[in-house]
Amino acid sequence: MANPSFRASSSTEGFFQTLPIVPPQFTNPANALLTQDSIHSSDDKVLARILALYLPPHVPHVTSHIHRVARIALDPSVLVHCVDAESNHPILRPLTTFGEENRTDPLWTTAGWKALKDIGIKEGVVAVAYENNNRSWNRRIHEFALGHLWTCTSTMTTCPMSMTDGAATLLSRHLGEDDGAQPGRKEVFGKAYARLTSRDPKVAWTSGQWMTERTGGSDVSGTETVARRLSSDELAQRGAKGDDKDAIGMPLGPWSINGFKWFSSATDSGMTVLLARTPKGLSAFYAPMRRRVITPNASLSGVENDQVQTELNGVRIQRLKNKLGTKSLPTAELELKGMRAWLIGIEGQGVKEISTILNITRLSTAAGSAGGWSRGLAICRAYSKVRKVRGALLQENPQHMKWMANETVKYWAAAHFAFIGVALQGAVEQDWDDMVKGTRAEALIPKDRREVMDLLRLLTPVMKAQVSVAAVQGLRECMECLGGVGYCENNEDGGLMNIAKVFRDNLVNPIWEGTVSVMAEDVVRVLIDKRLGRGDILNNLFVPWIQGILGSCKSFEEEVSIIKVHLKELKKLAQGASKDDLLYCGRELLERIEVIVCSTLLIYDASMHEDGIARAISRRWVRSKASQQPQKLGVSQRGEEALLDKLIFLGKGPLGKAKLERL
């Protein structure tokens, strides 16, 4: 009998896996209603549902913008910048050719990094939240939907963008104030705010946020950076020398800051907000990153543009951090010597001022985590449609579909949790009748702005902690879905298949802006703060808010009963507990609140917009939190569940509405 003939593979012959096609995650045909075509057409179904929940049904200028950014994020001409920024990391050039300190341009970043920042600025990933002509819809939902789609392609330029967002929010609260003891402050803050919210890359600034020092991460009580108010004689002397202007010709502030900052992301930004110690305590300051240097040939009365030179404003970059992820983001250690700055707000109340930025950046951390998870699952869906194992596509493998369906359920819960925070932030900033009335979110957003602020104060640290951790685990599962390819740094084909990079970048989110333990401590502070929720935020605000939402959820009797059990357990955990007891159970508090809020939002959304998949997902999530033992399924039940798994993961399938309702 003759031996069979085999043909050996080579570098150019044999099997090659078909490259998956990752579709845009949001699709909204021109002038289509949010409640119809966009949900069915979008690859990321829950994003479309969230937009349909919080936005009016017909806002084509908003949805077409989100539609366009979904495509920009996957455009090969844009992805090439992503690969450049990921492949060529920032470097520090501390010395000039002849060994002098390089105070002009010591930090080098790639053309790709700069291009991605410019694209984000042009598309208004921050600016749309501050365009006051947008009154009839939630501007924050618009903004964070853009970020959801842009975050992975942006290659961490969304980090400085989130701090820019926070700085813009902070400065906006001080624009109407008089100069007080700082002549020129109002104009300086106005110019900075205009740049933070600009869509012109030639004008726009991003902002840093400097809190962390060597004494500790989120604990600012040991701050060693010191600010000193310059005397009138000192200011006059500097003015006589002509070195009292920032890079755009505005006066430098009357404070001089010295110290050391241990972590500073967005070191290439145009400005920063930082904490420093003054005689009255920790205070917040605005400082431009660069100041003018007058050349010998320049006139002090009017410097010509071609004669203007700038240098760092009393900042010395000691070294760049070598991090596990976020490699394209220049995070540095900074020594401050004579950094000129302006006091923000009241001296000694810096922590209160900086918390405005933290509220935004923590919200951005949660939403960005969900955005990264969304991209990971989009890649998994595309891969499952082309990858064969033992002759069959992965999308026909019941075990694979069950696994990915369960991951999809977790992602839906996280996305809903992040966006309720976004919606509440919008409600703090806009009029309820303008942006909530007439939407499906009327029962979700309280009319009383004080209640909205208190709810946001409670929920922000919970969602920051829980969503960021869940996304890390979810992206690890997405890596596994691709097998060995998922573990590799795939920068070929525009880097679209590089889940490993998305995973590494997301690993910082449970740490950045406060670890999970710090978030738990923050929640405890909220629960015992008698100034919030009319003296008892849990019983006077949170519980009634959840119960009010549940009252409008129809056909979810079993799920509502499970949520009420969790509410009861949460109240039992907190009732009469000392601060030390609450701190000991801090992570359990985070988990309880997460389960209650996510469960409530999922069933509310499913009841607002009839859809069998959304109903199935909400039931799976809630029942998975009921501590029930898994039941053995018969052959017919197992077959129906397998079909439902496919529907949940892929977003479409053979089951009709009537059959879905029976599952």
Side-chain angles (χ1 to χ4, degrees):
M1 183 176 180
N3 291 327
S5 176
F6 297 104
R7 185 172 182 177
S9 61
S10 70
S11 61
T12 57
E13 294 183 327
F15 172 78
F16 290 95
Q17 175 62 54
T18 302
L19 183 69
I21 298 175
V22 180
Q25 289 163 251
F26 176 74
T27 295
N28 192 71
N31 297 320
L33 293 178
L34 265 171
T35 53
Q36 298 172 358
D37 294 342
S38 60
I39 294 175
H40 299 299
S41 303
S42 295
D43 186 59
D44 187 346
K45 295 285 188 289
V46 72
L47 175 62
R49 293 188 66 87
I50 286 168
L51 295 178
L53 188 61
Y54 294 110
L55 294 177
H58 193 61
V59 279
H61 45 301
V62 176
T63 54
S64 63
H65 186 197
I66 300 170
H67 174 99
R68 185 177 74 249
V69 169
R71 282 142 186 82
I72 291 173
L74 300 177
D75 191 304
S77 66
V78 174
L79 291 173
V80 70
H81 300 311
C82 176
V83 173
D84 179 42
E86 181 61 23
S87 303
N88 301 295
H89 302 149
I91 59 174
L92 188 61
R93 303 177 296 189
L95 303 177
T96 66
T97 301
F98 294 106
E100 291 183 282
E101 181 182 353
N102 182 0
R103 295 187 297 177
T104 303
D105 59 345
L107 178 63
W108 178 88
T109 57
T110 69
W113 169 264
K114 295 171 184 175
L116 292 169
K117 285 180 70 174
D118 286 353
I119 293 169
I121 289 167
K122 287 178 183 177
E123 290 301 328
V125 294
V126 171
V128 294
Y130 298 90
E131 294 170 345
N132 290 326
N133 57 315
N134 303 342
R135 296 176 56 87
S136 60
W137 67 90
N138 192 318
R139 296 193 297 263
R140 287 293 184 180
I141 293 292
H142 183 183
E143 175 197 23
F144 277 77
L146 298 177
H148 185 89
L149 299 165
W150 179 242
T151 185
C152 288
T153 299
S154 78
T155 313
M156 293 310 299
T157 58
T158 43
C159 173
M161 289 296 185
S162 71
M163 290 183 282
T164 301
D165 193 356
T169 299
L170 175 59
L171 290 184
S172 70
R173 298 181 180 183
H174 295 280
L175 293 180
E177 297 173 351
D178 293 331
D179 286 344
Q182 300 184 100
R185 181 208 61 84
K186 185 175 182 179
E187 184 181 7
V188 168
F189 281 15
K191 294 286 188 181
Y193 175 80
R195 287 177 177 269
L196 292 172
T197 57
S198 172
R199 287 207 198 193
D200 183 355
K202 294 180 180 179
V203 172
W205 277 353
T206 55
S207 177
Q209 171 201 326
W210 302 346
M211 293 172 51
T212 308
E213 300 197 4
R214 290 179 300 224
T215 54
S218 299
D219 180 8
V220 297
S221 61
T223 295
E224 296 177 330
T225 299
V226 177
R228 180 179 68 86
R229 178 70 187 251
L230 297 173
S231 68
S232 56
D233 287 343
E234 288 175 309
L235 291 172
Q237 290 172 5
R238 285 168 166 78
K241 293 178 181 178
D243 60 354
D244 60 343
K245 295 290 192 295
D246 67 15
I248 60 171
M250 298 303 295
L252 293 172
W255 291 81
S256 177
I257 298 180
N258 294 277
F260 195 90
K261 294 298 181 180
W262 185 235
F263 271 94
S264 67
S265 293
T267 312
D268 60 337
S269 291
M271 59 158 283
T272 190
V273 176
L274 70 155
L275 284 178
R277 194 171 296 282
T278 69
K280 294 184 179 180
L282 284 176
S283 304
F285 292 89
Y286 155 83
M289 281 296 293
R290 303 188 71 83
R291 62 191 179 199
R292 287 190 173 184
V293 178
I294 302 300
T295 62
N297 296 326
S299 167
L300 295 183
S301 59
V303 180
E304 298 296 331
N305 288 336
D306 59 356
Q307 294 176 314
V308 171
Q309 295 183 11
T310 66
E311 65 179 13
L312 290 174
N313 175 24
V315 179
R316 178 178 175 270
I317 304 175
Q318 175 164 289
R319 64 173 172 174
L320 296 177
K321 296 291 192 181
N322 187 11
K323 301 160 291 180
L324 173 63
T326 66
K327 296 284 191 178
S328 59
L329 176 68
T331 305
E333 299 170 13
L334 304 178
E335 182 183 34
L336 311 181
K337 283 190 175 182
M339 185 180 204
R340 297 283 295 279
W342 297 83
L343 177 69
I344 301 174
I346 299 173
E347 185 180 347
Q349 296 188 15
V351 174
K352 177 183 176 182
E353 297 291 346
I354 211 81
S355 66
T356 297
I357 297 180
L358 283 175
N359 290 337
I360 299 295
T361 53
R362 287 175 175 174
L363 198 58
S364 297
T365 304
S369 297
W373 198 354
S374 170
R375 175 68 69 84
L377 285 169
I379 295 169
C380 290
R381 281 191 294 273
Y383 185 72
S384 297
K385 294 174 182 177
V386 299
R387 177 62 176 169
K388 288 186 177 181
V389 176
R390 289 184 289 276
L393 292 171
L394 282 176
Q395 68 176 5
E396 305 302 332
N397 184 311
Q399 188 229 129
H400 181 81
M401 287 294 102
K402 180 180 180 181
W403 172 36
M404 286 289 103
N406 288 338
E407 292 305 307
T408 302
V409 169
K410 296 172 189 175
Y411 160 66
W412 275 48
H416 269 295
F417 198 5
F419 273 93
I420 185 62
V422 173
L424 291 170
Q425 182 66 40
V428 169
E429 300 166 345
Q430 294 177 246
D431 183 74
W432 192 93
D433 286 328
D434 282 344
M435 55 154 270
V436 179
K437 189 175 182 179
T439 70
R440 292 178 168 172
E442 285 192 11
L444 295 180
I445 311 295
K447 292 184 178 181
D448 187 299
R449 186 164 292 172
R450 181 72 253 177
E451 290 187 3
V452 174
M453 293 172 66
D454 289 352
L455 267 179
L456 194 58
R457 181 72 184 88
L458 173 65
L459 296 183
T460 298
V462 182
M463 69 181 69
K464 190 274 178 190
Q466 300 302 99
V467 174
S468 61
V469 170
V472 167
Q473 178 60 26
L475 282 163
R476 193 217 64 79
E477 303 282 345
C478 291
M479 286 175 60
E480 183 184 343
C481 175
L482 272 62
V485 172
Y487 187 66
C488 293
E489 295 280 0
N490 301 297
N491 283 321
E492 302 79 11
D493 303 304
L496 195 55
M497 301 299 294
N498 198 346
I499 294 183
K501 185 213 67 141
V502 182
F503 173 72
R504 285 190 295 100
D505 287 350
N506 270 261
L507 281 171
V508 74
N509 287 339
I511 300 171
W512 188 61
E513 302 296 55
T515 63
V516 175
S517 292
V518 170
M519 295 300 99
E521 292 173 1
D522 200 18
V523 167
V524 170
R525 279 193 291 271
V526 173
L527 291 176
I528 65 177
D529 192 336
K530 299 302 181 183
R531 298 170 298 178
L532 303 175
R534 301 185 305 280
D536 186 347
I537 193 170
L538 184 62
N539 290 296
N540 293 341
L541 180 56
F542 180 73
V543 172
W545 177 62
I546 292 294
Q547 290 174 335
I549 298 171
L550 294 178
S552 60
C553 299
K554 308 302 180 183
S555 306
F556 286 97
E557 291 80 6
E558 180 181 344
E559 289 72 29
V560 168
S561 67
I562 292 171
I563 297 171
K564 288 182 176 179
V565 169
H566 282 289
L567 271 176
K568 183 178 179 181
E569 292 298 320
L570 176 63
K571 292 170 66 176
K572 185 189 299 184
L573 187 64
Q575 190 71 38
S578 67
K579 180 180 179 180
D580 287 342
D581 289 338
L582 291 173
L583 288 171
Y584 182 74
C585 301
R587 294 196 177 218
E588 186 177 346
L589 287 169
L590 294 176
E591 185 176 351
R592 289 281 184 187
I593 296 172
E594 175 202 21
V595 169
I596 292 166
V597 175
C598 290
S599 299
T600 301
L601 293 172
L602 283 166
I603 65 171
Y604 178 84
D605 174 52
S607 64
M608 283 290 101
H609 187 110
E610 285 296 326
D611 180 276
I613 297 175
R615 181 176 294 272
I617 286 175
S618 61
R619 284 178 168 164
R620 282 196 178 188
W621 165 264
V622 178
R623 292 176 188 181
S624 73
K625 305 301 177 181
S627 301
Q628 296 176 345
Q629 293 295 321
Q631 297 179 343
K632 290 186 177 180
L633 301 177
V635 174
S636 61
Q637 289 176 301
R638 188 167 65 248
E640 289 183 337
E641 285 294 316
L643 287 173
L644 188 53
D645 291 334
K646 194 170 184 179
L647 277 170
I648 289 172
F649 177 47
L650 300 180
K652 55 187 177 181
L655 293 186
K657 179 179 178 181
K659 193 157 190 175
L660 272 169
E661 296 298 327
R662 295 198 300 271
L663 295 179

